[in-house]
Each structure stands twice: as structure tokens, then as C-alpha cells.
């Protein structure tokens, strides 16, 4: 287990935030150089698979947005900005903050309305683009933006904000 939270001068445990996707990828390279273990950003499909944790509903806990406050920091219950990670209920696989707190960069390029309607196994996004995918919603998002399937795209090198962070994947060795 590697703690990827920032101290932020508040006692630790806050999500990494305000990173461009380029900075997030540099962080993954830095992790490899310092641990010898390969980390990367998740693909959009990997992110959603981890978020859903076997569910097929709007949120990993069901379809009722009135319950979201038990699982996420989002617009309706956020005190100010991002909050300490792991303070809300996790999904069935023990992952915290998959809904809300900070949006998370994904490896895929973003294309509006491109998410496949037919069932696929581990699909990949476009080979090129102008924006990278962000998933999960953030502390300033409404409940609709925190759904498991919600997605937006932002400029990968210049876009950053205190509502935008990352989650990394530990790549399997062959």
C-alpha cells in the first residue's frame, strides 16, 4: 500500500489535486523510478469497472441519488473543497472516493458521445484527441456528474484545479 494523499498542512490524508494529466503521468514515472514498480493512470474502462465493483446501477450503491452523501463528497454536502480520503463508505471492493471528492484523470482520450452502447470487454478510447477523460465527479459536482458512467474531457497539459486529481493502477508484470 502506498499513500498517495497529500498532507496539505492539515494533518494528511487529502487527495492529490491540481495536477494536469502530464504531471500525473510524470508522477507515475517517478513512482517507477523510485520503487521499480510500474504505475499508470487507469483506462476509462478500468476506472468504471473499479468504480462499479460489480454493480450495474447509476452509482455503485444503487440508483437513489439521495444516498450519495453516505458515499461521496459532492455539491450537496461538501464543506468547502476536497475532503480527507476514505471518510465516506467504500464500494463493494473497498475503494473509497470513487464518487465525488475530486475528478480523476484517465489514460483515454475524450470524445463526446463516443462511449460504446454495445457491451465490450476492456474497450480502449481514441488513439488521439484534444482532451483526456476525467471520471468520478468532484466536491463541486452535482449528483448526476458523480454517477459511475459520468465522464468529461479536459485539456491534458494545461487543465488543473483543486477538484481534479488522480488514481493510479499498479500494472501487472508478465
Amino acid at each position: 500500500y502506498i499513500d498517495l494523499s497529500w498532507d496539505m498542512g492539515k494533518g494528511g490524508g487529502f487527495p492529490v489535486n491540481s495536477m494536469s494529466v502530464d504531471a500525473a503521468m510524470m508522477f507515475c514515472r517517478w513512482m517507477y523510478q523510485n520503487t521499480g514498480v510500474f504505475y499508470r493512470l487507469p483506462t476509462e474502462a478500468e476506472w468504471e469497472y473499479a468504480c462499479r465493483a460489480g454493480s450495474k446501477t447509476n452509482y455503485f450503491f444503487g440508483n437513489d441519488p439521495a444516498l450519495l452523501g453516505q458515499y461521496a463528497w459532492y455539491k450537496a454536502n461538501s464543506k468547502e473543497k476536497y475532503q480527507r480520503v476514505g471518510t465516506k463508505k467504500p464500494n463493494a471492493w473497498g475503494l473509497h472516493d470513487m464518487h465525488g471528492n475530486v475528478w480523476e484523470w484517465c489514460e483515454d482520450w475524450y470524445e463526446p458521445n463516443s462511449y460504446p452502447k454495445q457491451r465490450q470487454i476492456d474497450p480502449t478510447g481514441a488513439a488521439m484527441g484534444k482532451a483526456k477523460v476525467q471520471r468520478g465527479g468532484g466536491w463541486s459536482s452535482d449528483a448526476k456528474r458523480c454517477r459511475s458512467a459520468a465522464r468529461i474531457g479536459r485539456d491534458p497539459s494545461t487543465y488543473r484545479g483543486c477538484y481534479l486529481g488522480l488514481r493510479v493502477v499498479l500494472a501487472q508484470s508478465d
Side-chain angles (χ1 to χ4, degrees), residues 84-133:
R84 279 191 168 83
V85 296
T87 57
K88 296 291 185 170
K89 291 180 181 179
N91 70 11
W93 294 348
L95 299 174
H96 290 268
D97 299 303
M98 295 301 294
H99 299 303
N101 213 2
V102 294
W103 285 91
E104 298 174 0
W105 286 112
C106 291
E107 196 173 274
D108 296 89
W109 289 102
Y110 177 79
E111 287 187 43
N113 304 314
S114 68
Y115 214 57
K117 302 250 188 271
Q118 69 278 12
R119 184 181 173 125
Q120 294 187 356
I121 297 174
D122 204 15
T124 57
M128 299 177 73
K130 294 181 180 178
K132 286 283 192 172
V133 172

Side-chain angles (χ1 to χ4, degrees), residues 35-105:
T35 66
V37 179
F38 183 66
Y39 293 89
R40 61 176 173 77
L41 296 177
T43 65
E44 186 172 10
E46 289 170 335
W47 189 96
E48 188 169 332
Y49 182 79
C51 177
R52 288 186 180 280
S55 72
K56 294 181 181 177
T57 53
N58 289 338
Y59 307 93
F60 62 70
F61 56 83
N63 289 318
D64 188 355
L67 301 176
L68 185 57
Q70 296 176 40
Y71 301 89
W73 292 108
Y74 73 112
K75 194 173 197 171
N77 72 350
S78 186
K79 298 175 185 174
E80 46 182 275
K81 291 185 178 181
Y82 44 84
Q83 301 297 316
R84 279 191 168 83
V85 296
T87 57
K88 296 291 185 170
K89 291 180 181 179
N91 70 11
W93 294 348
L95 299 174
H96 290 268
D97 299 303
M98 295 301 294
H99 299 303
N101 213 2
V102 294
W103 285 91
E104 298 174 0
W105 286 112

Side-chain angles (χ1 to χ4, degrees), residues 19-21 42 104-106 132-134 154-155 159 164-165:
M19 292 185 93
S20 67
V21 77
E104 298 174 0
W105 286 112
C106 291
K132 286 283 192 172
V133 172
Q134 295 173 4
R154 300 283 190 210
D155 182 282
Y159 196 81
L164 175 58

